[in-house]
Amino acid sequence: MGTITSSVGLISGLPIGDIVDQLMAIEARPRDLVVSQMNTLDKEKAAWLDLSARLLALKTAASSFNDIESFQAVAATSSNTSVLTASADTGAAVGNYAFTPVRLMTSHQVITTGRPDSDTTPVGAGTITVEFGNGNLDRATSLDFLNTQVGVSRGSIKITDRAGGAATIDLTSAMDLNDVLDAINSAAGISVTASTSGDGLVLTDTSGGTGTLSVAEVNGGGTAADLGILGSAAGDTLTGGDLVKLNADTSLRQLNDGNGIRTASGNDLQITLEDGTVLKVNLTSATTLGQVLSSINNATGNGGKLTAALDATGTRIVLTDSTGGGSGPLTVTAVGSSKAAFDLGLLASDGDADHVITGGRLTAGLDSVLLRNLNGTTGVTGGSISITASGGSETIDLTNAQSLDDVLAAINGAGISGLTASLNASRNGLLLTDSGGGPLTVSDVSGTLADQLHIAATSSSGSIASGNLQLRYISENSRLDDLDIARGKFKITDSDGRSATVDLTQGNETTLADVISEINSRGIGVTASINTNGDGLLLTDTAGGAGRLTVYESGSSTAADLGILGSDDDGDGTIDGSLEVTIDVDATDTLSDLADKINAASSRLSAFVLNDGTATNPYRLAVSSQIGGTAGRMIIDMGGVSLGFSDMVRPQDALLFLGDPSNPNSIAIRSTTNSFSNVIEGVTLNAVGTSSTPVQVSVTTTVDALIKRVNDFVSKFNDTADRIGQLNSYNADAGTRGVLQGEGLLSRIQSAIFTMITGSVTDAPGQYNRLSQVGFSVTDNGTHISFNEEKFRQAFATAPSAVSGLFTHAKTGIGDRIESALDAFTDNISGAIVTQTDNIADRRQVLSSRADQLQTLLDSKRARLTAQFAAMEAALAQLQGQQSALSGFSSALSIAQSSGVSGLFG
């Protein structure tokens, strides 16, 4: 049977494949025409999409034209960037300012005494604790707090000792009393020691001279008078006047050792008068001491029966009952969970029937703390104590003691020879020392004050230490910003498996009270409060389940910052977020081991061992606070570990003056970093050095960024215009045309974008109503636009609001006009280009269906032609076979005849 091999017939030898292809090419012309039309539509659609993308890019480039903030941009420059840099945000206050950076921030760094090695000799077992910032009992009093919060005039003072030595002491940069004391005590040329006592300063002459100890002003200033030490003394001691006094404007946040007043929703105080009248006082909205007094005096039912006022010293509230009734004593009690009565020192009853309650001190004396804030939230109450030492024995009445300074002063003034009461080396507790070697005994006579202060003991060595008195420095009023708490989210799961997310990103969380409220409102078995030591947050599980109370982060560091990240590992149902860092030191731990433990204990601490190169004991442990400035001051209690720390770098805040520091009217600003934000609204200043002269900071409006955006817009506009020209081009010589040549929509787009530039703004709010007036022009025979930057700057300098209005005026401004014009073409639902591409897609779909139909017919024809050629080859093969048979018969006949065998055929 004949076949077709490859594309050539075996029998016929014809190029059957080529013949079929040629025949099908003729037949395929209708289909090819349809496919060509489809390809043309694809190119048109691609061109429209490309143009749409360019128009959208143009719209994006013009987006700032409709934003008024783009025309309010400012720039800040510094006249001396080697000491002060400046940056400004949109809307910053424009002007020229003088700043003087006089001090950079330093972080607290301490170092131990030397040891012979770092990894062999144990340092001794014990428990080291570290607190930050406010855990010390001698916190420096800010000068701003003195003199009814008027503060102290900056300037210099002159001190002359009794031997005639004199020194001028510059207190211009002093921010707190420690700065004042340090400056006086380190002054060369005089033998005078400055200290605090109660509410004032004391200068003690140690020169041995017989003249007059005196303090005078310098250059007519008022610094000495404001410090209460202006004047002279014939003896060795000059006692200054009282500096601590409150008034009606005193903020409640400044009271109670900075813990403020803890109020509750609703009423806070219940005052029962002698005639039985009951007053309920709500202090929820009070922010000043005057508002507290007003709330009491104007309480419902008072009507002048009770008067609340400050006492003569300006440190206590006095309640005076004028009813004269006989129902009972004047009494103040707390209402509900409010602790306002306690914090105001008013939780009392008139025990002596004088119709008066004189409250406790609202603030401690200079550089001291209130007894009621010791032992955490428990406090210390007054009483009488007995002290027996080698130099004598005395009973000391501390019934009316209010501050720790009262206790120290009473003990030191008791007349017991050789006995000294002071703060311990860690500044977090008391130390009683008998220079005679003891024995030393302290006991309570009435009350439990000695026991509460942890000094009720007998020591054969003549020394009694209280240990950490746990000053309460964290309260519900503590601000999250002061504690460096990130605003984020965390999840709490109670022991019963119920979970809730606590969200501190809502914008209204400013204090720990807000955090506590948010946690307690979550509806799970967990209660938040301040811990008993008053140094952190406490979570208490009330669910009673078999699981563990656990706190997880939710994409922030908030739980860790609050100290509550983790689980109730000891199974007591609580997580204590104490800010105190605890390091347990084992008996075998070396200096290197201790460094590792400190680093693992808190990210706020960094420890390392250094070798100072000395021949003996060269190894020292250095510990640095990772919190800047005074907020990062470390209060380190060695807890039995045989190492002694001393300051290597003292912590200090950065200090910046608005103006010249020599001018007493200049304003001092401090920061725990070297960055100062919003001293000028919208401006950030960064101190990188110090200067004795002011640095000029200029905040000016700038159009640099806007001009950059305008140039970008012009570039994209011309790019779009060029592309439109290409798509609409026609070259008669070459016989070529653009993909969209002759399209009406393309011409409309071209006309619209140029109209955006050349049209006028109706109701323009200023003197400009055309872009040509501010530097725009059409060039290159109407095919491009250009921008004259200098003309724009001149126009903006002349009338900035008019230029801004030209672009940003509602509906008719350039910004709105460009957006509206381009949206008409690029809107992804109703835009003209979308409509055009949808029509193209519809037409292409019709053509695609037609092409598919034609292809089906072509496939059928090809199959038919191929079958026909195959049949022809088969027929030829059959004919060829018959021809071969006949040829064979003829050959046989010829052989027979030649052999004489003819009978067979004849």
Side-chain angles (χ1 to χ4, degrees):
M1 179 176 180
T3 58
I4 301 174
T5 302
S6 297
S7 59
V8 178
L10 291 178
I11 305 301
S12 67
L14 296 174
I16 293 173
D18 292 341
I19 294 172
V20 171
D21 288 342
Q22 292 174 17
L23 292 173
M24 291 307 301
I26 296 172
E27 293 290 338
R29 287 174 181 170
R31 182 211 60 187
D32 293 343
L33 178 60
V34 172
V35 171
S36 176
Q37 293 172 338
M38 290 170 59
N39 290 337
T40 298
L41 290 177
D42 288 342
K43 292 178 182 178
E44 291 179 1
K45 183 176 181 180
W48 285 119
L49 293 176
D50 173 70
L51 182 58
S52 179
R54 294 170 189 267
L55 291 174
L56 286 171
L58 185 62
K59 178 183 173 183
T60 299
S63 61
S64 61
F65 296 170
N66 203 26
D67 181 7
I68 195 168
E69 288 190 357
S70 297
F71 296 84
Q72 296 174 338
V74 293
T77 58
S78 166
S79 64
N80 188 350
T81 56
S82 65
V83 297
L84 189 68
T85 64
S87 61
D89 297 327
T90 298
V94 173
N96 295 309
Y97 309 90
F99 289 98
T100 310
V102 299
R103 191 169 70 196
L104 296 180
M105 178 274 292
T106 57
S107 296
H108 196 191
Q109 299 178 43
V110 297
I111 193 166
T112 66
T113 52
R115 297 183 68 81
D117 57 73
S118 64
D119 54 5
T120 303
T121 305
V123 297
T127 300
I128 298 175
T129 61
V130 183
E131 294 184 271
F132 296 93
N134 292 323
N136 55 307
L137 302 178
D138 58 348
R139 291 185 292 177
T141 303
S142 172
L143 297 185
D144 290 340
F145 183 70
L146 305 181
N147 303 316
T148 62
Q149 293 72 68
V150 173
V152 174
S153 300
R154 282 188 304 280
S156 297
I157 62 174
K158 182 179 180 180
I159 299 179
T160 303
D161 65 22
R162 298 189 70 190
T168 297
I169 301 168
D170 184 2
L171 298 177
T172 300
S173 300
M175 297 298 290
D176 56 45
L177 276 181
N178 275 356
D179 294 335
V180 174
L181 298 179
D182 289 346
I184 295 175
N185 292 333
S186 63
I190 56 173
S191 297
V192 174
T193 300
S195 61
T196 62
S197 178
D199 292 340
L201 294 176
V202 175
L203 301 185
T204 303
D205 189 294
T206 60
S207 68
T210 59
T212 300
L213 171 63
S214 65
V215 181
E217 303 287 8
V218 175
N219 296 327
T223 307
D226 289 344
L227 288 171
I229 55 176
L230 178 65
S232 61
D236 290 336
T237 302
L238 191 159
T239 301
D242 288 348
L243 300 176
V244 179
K245 194 170 185 178
L246 310 176
N247 64 14
D249 294 327
T250 300
S251 169
L252 297 184
R253 291 190 63 252
Q254 296 177 296
L255 305 182
N256 208 25
D257 294 337
N259 289 309
I261 305 302
R262 294 169 290 177
T263 60
S265 58
N267 293 320
D268 294 284
L269 312 178
Q270 177 173 300
I271 305 176
T272 304
L273 306 186
E274 293 176 351
D275 68 351
T277 300
V278 175
L279 307 179
K280 297 290 183 70
V281 182
N282 187 329
L283 300 177
T284 304
S285 61
T287 60
T288 66
L289 189 52
Q291 290 171 347
V292 170
L293 299 177
S294 177
S295 296
I296 296 173
N297 290 328
N298 296 314
T300 301
N302 189 348
K305 296 178 180 180
L306 179 78
T307 301
L310 287 175
D311 72 348
T313 68
T315 59
R316 306 166 187 256
I317 293 176
V318 176
L319 301 181
T320 304
D321 186 336
S322 60
T323 62
S327 296
L330 173 64
T331 304
V332 180
T333 57
V335 177
S337 62
S338 176
K339 297 179 176 61
F342 177 84
D343 293 339
L344 289 168
L346 293 174
L347 196 60
S349 181
D350 174 20
D352 57 7
D354 65 349
H355 319 298
V356 174
I357 290 178
T358 300
R361 283 187 67 115
L362 296 170
T363 183
L366 301 178
D367 294 357
S368 189
V369 295
L370 295 169
L371 293 180
R372 64 170 173 265
N373 288 321
L374 299 180
N375 291 331
T377 56
T378 304
V380 172
T381 55
S384 295
I385 65 174
S386 172
I387 301 180
T388 301
S390 62
S393 178
E394 291 289 342
T395 295
I396 303 171
D397 185 5
L398 294 170
T399 304
N400 295 319
Q402 295 287 309
S403 70
L404 196 59
D405 190 64
D406 292 341
V407 174
L408 293 173
I411 294 174
N412 289 327
I416 302 176
S417 177
L419 179 68
T420 302
S422 63
L423 297 183
N424 62 16
S426 300
R427 321 304 286 176
N428 64 359
L430 291 178
L431 179 65
L432 272 62
T433 305
D434 181 357
S435 63
L440 175 63
T441 299
V442 180
S443 61
D444 282 305
V445 176
S446 65
T448 59
L449 182 141
D451 185 59
Q452 294 173 71
L453 289 175
H454 312 298
I455 56 173
T458 296
S459 169
S460 59
S461 66
S463 177
I464 294 177
S466 70
N468 191 340
L469 287 177
Q470 296 295 346
L471 174 67
R472 179 172 71 93
Y473 62 92
I474 297 295
S475 76
E476 291 84 349
N477 296 313
S478 297
R479 294 193 299 186
L480 301 184
D481 287 343
D482 292 341
L483 299 176
D484 198 24
I485 306 298
R487 305 301 204 279
K489 300 178 182 180
F490 56 91
K491 185 173 77 171
I492 302 178
T493 301
D494 66 20
S495 61
D496 208 29
R498 292 177 296 173
S499 296
T501 296
V502 178
D503 185 1
L504 301 184
T505 66
Q506 301 171 68
N508 55 357
E509 302 85 5
T510 60
T511 66
L512 279 181
D514 299 323
V515 176
I516 291 171
S517 176
E518 181 69 15
I519 293 173
N520 293 340
S521 69
R522 295 301 86 196
I524 60 174
V526 177
T527 300
S529 62
I530 300 299
N531 65 11
T532 55
N533 281 344
D535 62 4
L537 200 62
L538 179 70
L539 300 185
T540 303
D541 188 286
T542 60
R548 291 288 176 89
L549 170 64
T550 307
V551 179
Y552 310 86
E553 295 286 19
S554 295
S556 72
S557 63
T558 304
D561 292 345
L562 289 168
I564 57 174
L565 179 65
S567 298
D568 165 26
D569 293 330
D570 57 7
D572 69 348
T574 66
I575 294 178
D576 192 338
S578 171
L579 298 182
E580 181 180 85
V581 179
T582 301
I583 302 105
D584 292 321
V585 185
D586 298 329
T588 58
D589 283 342
T590 64
L591 210 59
S592 293
D593 295 330
L594 180 54
D596 291 340
K597 285 190 173 184
I598 291 174
N599 289 326
S602 174
S603 61
R604 299 183 177 190
L605 293 171
S606 175
F608 63 93
V609 176
L610 63 83
N611 184 339
D612 64 14
T614 56
T616 58
N617 298 329
Y619 293 95
R620 299 168 179 262
L621 178 66
V623 181
S624 300
S625 171
Q626 299 302 291
I627 303 172
T630 56
R633 177 185 287 110
M634 297 178 289
I635 299 96
I636 303 176
D637 192 323
M638 296 309 296
V641 178
S642 57
L643 288 174
F645 278 110
S646 58
D647 284 342
M648 185 164 56
V649 178
R650 293 179 61 182
Q652 66 179 17
D653 296 335
L655 184 59
L656 178 75
F657 280 92
L658 175 57
D660 190 330
S662 62
N663 184 339
N665 294 319
S666 61
I667 299 173
I669 307 129
R670 63 200 302 176
S671 172
T672 56
T673 70
N674 288 321
S675 180
F676 299 81
S677 298
N678 290 320
V679 174
I680 307 169
E681 183 181 0
V683 177
T684 298
L685 304 171
N686 289 294
V688 294
T690 61
S691 174
S692 58
T693 58
V695 176
Q696 300 300 316
V697 174
S698 297
V699 182
T700 58
T701 56
T702 176
V703 290
D704 290 348
L706 180 60
I707 285 175
K708 184 177 179 180
R709 297 188 189 104
V710 170
N711 283 324
D712 181 53
F713 171 80
V714 170
S715 175
K716 285 182 169 59
F717 184 99
N718 289 332
D719 176 69
T720 302
D722 287 340
R723 183 57 175 159
I724 291 174
Q726 294 169 4
L727 295 174
N728 200 30
S729 64
Y730 177 71
N731 188 326
D733 295 334
T736 59
R737 69 180 187 89
V739 175
L740 302 180
Q741 196 269 330
E743 285 284 352
L745 176 58
L746 191 64
S747 297
R748 284 167 47 205
I749 293 173
Q750 185 178 42
S751 175
I753 64 172
F754 277 95
T755 300
M756 295 186 317
I757 305 302
T758 59
S760 62
V761 174
T762 57
D763 301 325
Q767 63 202 69
Y768 305 123
N769 65 355
R770 290 180 178 273
L771 286 177
S772 59
Q773 296 170 311
V774 295
F776 286 79
S777 60
V778 177
T779 60
D780 300 331
N781 296 318
T783 60
H784 295 91
I785 64 172
S786 65
F787 175 63
N788 186 325
E789 178 180 327
E790 185 57 32
K791 186 174 181 179
F792 183 88
R793 289 184 182 277
Q794 291 175 356
F796 192 84
T798 301
S801 61
V803 174
S804 174
L806 172 65
F807 283 88
T808 64
H809 190 56
K811 296 183 180 180
T812 61
I814 297 299
D816 272 347
R817 194 166 68 193
I818 291 176
E819 182 176 355
S820 176
L822 296 179
D823 276 347
F825 301 113
T826 60
D827 186 88
N828 59 7
I829 296 176
S830 59
I833 292 179
V834 169
T835 301
Q836 186 79 355
T837 55
D838 286 347
N839 289 337
I840 289 174
D842 292 341
R843 289 160 55 196
R844 193 188 187 285
Q845 183 60 44
V846 172
L847 291 174
S848 179
S849 297
R850 177 59 180 158
D852 289 344
Q853 294 171 356
L854 292 173
Q855 185 62 49
T856 300
L857 291 175
L858 289 172
D859 292 343
S860 176
K861 287 183 179 181
R862 177 178 286 278
R864 185 166 63 253
L865 284 172
T866 301
Q868 287 174 345
F869 275 106
M872 180 190 75
E873 287 294 317
L876 289 175
Q878 183 177 11
L879 290 174
Q880 188 179 52
Q882 292 175 351
Q883 182 180 9
S884 295
L886 289 175
S887 177
F889 178 76
S890 175
S891 295
L893 179 60
S894 296
I895 293 171
Q897 288 176 342
S898 63
S899 302
V901 188
S902 58
L904 292 174
F905 302 97

